[in-house]
Amino acid sequence: MTQTLTLRRPDDWHLHLRDGAMLRAVLPETARHFARAIIMPNLVPPVVTAADAVAYRDRIMAALPDGMAFEPLMTLYLTEHTDPADVRAAAESGLIRAVKLYPAGATTNSHGGVRDMDKVRGVLEVMAELGLPLCIHGEVTTPEVDIFDREAVFIDTVLDPLRRATPGLRVVMEHITTADGVAYARSADDLAATITTHHLVINRNHILVGGIKPHYYCLPVAKREEHRLALRKAATSGDTRFFLGTDSAPHTDALKEHACGCAGCFTATNTMSILAEVFEQDNALDRLEGFTSLHGPAFYRLPVNGDTITLTKGAPVTYPSKIDIGEGHVTVFDPGFPLHWTVK
Ligand code: DOR
Ligand code: ZN
């Protein structure tokens, strides 16, 4: 008997599309299933001003194959020089849907991020006034702090003080990886958290046991099993504060399989199949639509998509193990278990 599952068309609330040949290769992988995505601004150079966001949005739309529909939801990369008036105009015109805070040095192309929170106070106040979400990469960069503790320490030493100093600021805790992140996201109405596909599947053993697996290395790095289970519980709970942000982050194999490998898992291609499997394993298939299609629009104050996708369950499906980007290949995330759900 075929089982089917129809959902409002999903959105991806955290996505890296890059630029040029990479953009052209990976955009269809997302647009095939997703109507919209929050587009990360960590290009080289980053998307800092409204003018940068217009130009990047135009490059994304130019890369979209004929016959595909997709709406990029643009963001600005917050720097210590960001002009509050530019953010206000970009938000009021509907050009941007969020601003992204990278602590300087936290991850890929984050060196232009923020070192001193006092320098962005004016921007944060405008954002609080407008209700414009701040998407935060929540890790401290202090060398003394163990990489597995960086999220929990960030919550206590940066995020909580930041929110107290800017009442009304709406924050998306991006790609949470810990039970601490889950608990903090639950603590206030102006907070939400995205959860990636891969952090629902892997823990730190997947990266390190039996040989180092560069394609499972991402930031924030996957944590202990107890944290993965806390993320599974949050994602499948039906709590509207939690929604999908894949953080699908393509890097070529040459840069992943390297002495100093780049961080990122590429999940755009098989995310919906993996999520259906995960939610079914947790007896929560009826909550998948909330996670992928309803909770995100509610937090971002955008309408839910009008159309639907249908998944069917059958014999295991396979996906290409790599995407050809012309100047190399990008490895598709391997969940390590068979996938039975496929988008029709
Ligand atoms: O794994 C990651 N990859 N985490 C990030 O925060 C950035 C991203 C990227 O841009 O490659
Ligand atoms: Zn990211």
Side-chain angles (χ1 to χ4, degrees):
M1 192 192 74
T2 328
Q3 261 181 279
T4 69
L5 182 65
T6 296
L7 314 172
R8 289 284 187 152
R9 187 172 291 280
D11 301 304
D12 184 347
W13 299 96
H14 182 131
L15 178 66
H16 297 269
L17 285 177
R18 318 296 191 203
D19 224 334
M22 183 71 94
L23 166 64
R24 285 191 293 279
V26 300
L27 177 58
E29 300 300 301
T30 287
R32 196 173 292 135
H33 300 155
F34 294 88
R36 302 172 289 196
I38 284 279
I39 307 300
M40 286 299 121
N42 62 333
L43 305 182
V44 190
V47 179
V48 172
T49 64
D52 297 338
V54 168
Y56 188 32
R57 186 189 59 192
D58 290 348
R59 296 199 298 282
I60 294 169
M61 293 316 287
L64 189 67
D66 288 344
M68 279 188 142
F70 179 71
E71 185 185 354
L73 305 174
M74 306 309 292
T75 64
L76 297 183
Y77 181 114
L78 184 60
T79 75
E80 293 179 0
H81 308 288
T82 295
D83 176 5
D86 190 50
V87 171
R88 178 187 291 280
E92 286 179 345
S93 70
L95 168 66
I96 61 160
R97 299 296 180 184
V99 171
K100 176 73 188 239
L101 166 63
Y102 288 104
T107 187
T108 312
N109 302 330
S110 63
H111 42 272
V114 178
R115 285 185 170 75
D116 177 359
M117 291 298 163
D118 286 338
K119 299 220 168 105
V120 296
R121 191 73 52 215
V123 176
L124 300 184
E125 277 161 13
V126 165
M127 293 177 65
E129 180 199 326
L130 298 176
L132 182 70
L134 179 67
C135 295
I136 299 187
H137 183 111
E139 289 189 286
V140 291
T141 54
T142 333
E144 300 75 51
V145 177
D146 190 280
I147 191 167
F148 292 100
D149 298 334
R150 286 179 174 197
E151 180 171 299
V153 173
F154 183 89
I155 292 168
D156 291 343
T157 63
V158 183
L159 179 54
D160 198 59
L162 176 86
R163 291 184 52 250
R164 286 176 197 280
T166 319
L169 183 66
R170 307 180 68 238
V171 168
V172 184
M173 299 170 67
E174 298 284 74
H175 42 51
I176 55 169
T177 57
T178 58
D180 314 69
V182 169
Y184 192 76
R186 284 208 169 105
S187 70
D189 287 341
D190 49 14
L191 278 174
T194 55
I195 300 178
T196 75
T197 309
H198 49 283
H199 288 116
L200 294 173
V201 173
I202 60 167
N203 63 33
R204 62 194 199 174
N205 278 14
H206 290 82
I207 312 168
L208 296 169
V209 172
I212 193 157
K213 314 290 189 318
H215 296 289
Y216 288 152
Y217 173 63
C218 64
L219 287 171
V221 70
K223 308 294 192 300
R224 287 176 180 276
E225 177 65 357
E226 68 198 57
H227 293 293
R228 185 185 73 92
L229 293 176
L231 299 175
R232 289 275 284 236
K233 215 168 154 193
T236 59
S237 67
D239 186 330
T240 59
R241 288 191 182 86
F242 302 103
F243 43 87
L244 174 65
T246 65
D247 198 14
S248 182
H251 294 278
T252 58
D253 285 351
L255 291 174
K256 292 287 294 175
E257 299 165 10
H258 191 274
C260 183
C262 291
C265 295
F266 179 70
T267 54
T269 306
N270 53 3
T271 272
M272 289 309 298
S273 281
I274 297 172
L275 290 175
E277 202 79 31
V278 161
F279 276 64
E280 184 177 47
Q281 287 165 4
D282 291 4
N283 291 318
L285 267 182
D286 57 327
R287 294 178 177 167
L288 180 60
E289 183 182 45
F291 183 68
T292 61
S293 316
L294 306 179
H295 304 168
F299 190 80
Y300 276 89
R301 299 177 175 162
L302 290 170
V304 165
N305 294 313
D307 61 340
T308 59
I309 60 166
T310 297
L311 294 108
T312 57
K313 186 179 179 188
V317 284
T318 52
Y319 289 90
S321 62
K322 292 177 193 298
I323 303 292
D324 187 353
I325 64 150
E327 53 200 41
H329 291 88
V330 171
T331 292
V332 175
F333 178 75
D334 174 5
F337 48 73
L339 299 173
H340 300 88
W341 289 91
T342 179
V343 181
K344 266 209 271 189

